[in-house]
C-alpha cells in the first residue's frame, strides 16, 4: 500500500507570512492528490485536487494555491497567511485501485 | 449542494454494543464509491471500509459493516461490539466515477462508554 508523507506536523505562523506545506506519496504512480482543510471538530473541506503533474483544480476561492511539480508531490502555498487560514490540513491520495484513498498525518496550522 | 449527509453530530454507545452511523448521499451517477473513515483525536484519517455502487453484497471488514441501500442512497456504517478505542469522529465520503473529487460528510462523533 502507499504512504503519504506530510510535514510539518504543527506550524505556527504570523499573519502575513508565507506558507508552504508539502505532501509526497510513496508506493504508487500517477495518483489523484487532494488537499483538505478541517476546522476544529468539523468536516473536511476540499481545497484543491490534482489528477496529474501541473493540473490543479480549485474548489474554494481563497488565499491559498496548490502546485504539483512532480507526479508524487503536492504543495499547498500561500503568499500571505490570514487568521482564517488556521486549521488542520490533510493531504490525500487515491491508489491504483478505486477502492483506496489514503491520508497523510496532517499539519496543524495556527496563524497568530 | 451537499453530496454527503451525516445527520448525527454525536452518539453515545455502551461498550460491547453495536452502533449504526447514518450516511446518505446524492448523486446521479450510476457508478460511484463510498468510503468510511475514522478520525481519532490524533487527527489521522483511518480508512475503514469501501462499498462500490455495483457491489451486490454489503462490504464487511472485521467489526465494521456497511449497510448499503442503493435505492435509498444510504450507506450506513455498523460497528459491532464497540470498544473504548472506537471513540472517534467518523466520516462518510463518496467519489463519483465522472468526477475525481472525494467529498466528505460533516462527520459523527462516537463516544463509547465503559
Amino acid at each position: 500500500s502507499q504512504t503519504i508523507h506530510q510535514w510539518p506536523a504543527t506550524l505556527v505562523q504570523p499573519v502575513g507570512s508565507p506558507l508552504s506545506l508539502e505532501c509526497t506519496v510513496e508506493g504508487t504512480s500517477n495518483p489523484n492528490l487532494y488537499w483538505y482543510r478541517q476546522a476544529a471538530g468539523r468536516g473536511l473541506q476540499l481545497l484543491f485536487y490534482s489528477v496529474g503533474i501541473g493540473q490543479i483544480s480549485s474548489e474554494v476561492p481563497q488565499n491559498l494555491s496548490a502546485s504539483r511539480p512532480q507526479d508524487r508531490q503536492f504543495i499547498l502555498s500561500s503568499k500571505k497567511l490570514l487568521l482564517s487560514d488556521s486549521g488542520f490540513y490533510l493531504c490525500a491520495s487515491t491508489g491504483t485501485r478505486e477502492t483506496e484513498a489514503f491520508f497523510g498525518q496532517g499539519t496543524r496550522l495556527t496563524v497568530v | 449542494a451537499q453530496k454527503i449527509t451525516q445527520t448525527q453530530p454525536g452518539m453515545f454507545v455502551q461498550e460491547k454494543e453495536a452502533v449504526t452511523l447514518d450516511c446518505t448521499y446524492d448523486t446521479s451517477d450510476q457508478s460511484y464509491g463510498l468510503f468510511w473513515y475514522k478520525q481519532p483525536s490524533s487527527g489521522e484519517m483511518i480508512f475503514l471500509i469501501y462499498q462500490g455502487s455495483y457491489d451486490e453484497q454489503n462490504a464487511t471488514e472485521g467489526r465494521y459493516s456497511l449497510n448499503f441501500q442503493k435505492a435509498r442512497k444510504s450507506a450506513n456504517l455498523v460497528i459491532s461490539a464497540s470498544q473504548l478505542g472506537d471513540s472517534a469522529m467518523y466520516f462518510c465520503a463518496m467519489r463519483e466515477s465522472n468526477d475525481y473529487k472525494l467529498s466528505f460528510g460533516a462527520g459523527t462523533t462516537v463516544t463509547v462508554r465503559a
Side-chain angles (χ1 to χ4, degrees):
Chain A
S1 67
Q2 60 179 277
T3 304
I4 316 288
H5 298 283
Q6 195 180 336
W7 67 90
T10 59
L11 191 60
V12 179
Q13 291 284 100
V15 169
S17 64
L19 173 74
S20 180
L21 301 181
E22 187 164 342
C23 171
T24 58
V25 181
E26 289 182 359
T28 189
S29 58
N30 196 31
N32 295 333
L33 298 175
Y34 306 83
W35 277 112
Y36 291 90
R37 178 170 59 201
Q38 185 181 26
R42 306 294 293 274
L44 277 69
Q45 179 188 33
L46 179 62
L47 302 176
F48 301 94
Y49 65 97
S50 170
V51 301
I53 296 174
Q55 300 179 61
I56 308 295
S57 296
S58 174
E59 282 297 292
V60 181
Q62 59 214 321
N63 185 42
L64 302 169
S65 62
S67 62
R68 185 168 177 177
Q70 299 180 42
D71 181 45
R72 289 172 288 178
Q73 185 185 29
F74 203 23
I75 298 171
L76 183 69
S77 304
S78 173
K79 292 182 179 178
K80 289 185 178 182
L81 284 169
L82 306 172
L83 287 173
S84 57
D85 291 324
S86 293
F88 188 53
Y89 288 82
L90 286 156
C91 177
S93 167
T94 54
T96 52
R97 297 185 302 167
E98 64 176 12
T99 61
E100 299 172 330
F102 301 97
F103 281 81
Q105 295 295 306
T107 296
R108 203 165 300 279
L109 171 68
T110 304
V111 182
V112 296
Chain B
Q2 189 73 287
K3 292 207 170 186
I4 300 287
T5 302
Q6 295 180 254
T7 57
Q8 307 151 309
M11 296 185 72
F12 291 94
V13 59
Q14 206 63 32
E15 198 176 8
K16 299 181 184 177
E17 291 186 350
V19 61
T20 298
L21 308 184
D22 295 341
C23 173
T24 58
Y25 57 91
D26 180 27
T27 181
S28 55
D29 264 14
Q30 295 302 308
S31 178
Y32 50 90
L34 298 157
F35 302 76
W36 274 94
Y37 287 87
K38 172 185 177 181
Q39 186 181 44
S41 57
S42 61
E44 62 181 314
M45 292 287 284
I46 302 169
F47 167 74
L48 296 178
I49 197 166
Y50 170 85
Q51 178 84 42
S53 59
Y54 289 117
D55 294 341
E56 294 185 353
Q57 292 191 339
N58 287 340
T60 59
E61 288 286 348
R63 293 187 298 111
Y64 304 107
S65 60
L66 202 151
N67 183 3
F68 181 46
Q69 299 187 45
K70 194 171 183 177
R72 294 185 177 184
K73 294 186 177 177
S74 75
N76 298 340
L77 177 72
V78 180
I79 306 174
S80 62
S82 295
Q83 302 172 356
L84 295 178
D86 294 335
S87 294
M89 198 156 186
Y90 290 81
F91 291 98
C92 179
M94 177 177 67
R95 185 173 64 226
E96 297 162 297
S97 63
N98 67 348
D99 192 350
Y100 297 105
K101 292 181 285 187
L102 185 59
S103 302
F104 282 79
T108 296
T109 300
V110 172
T111 303
V112 180
R113 289 169 164 163

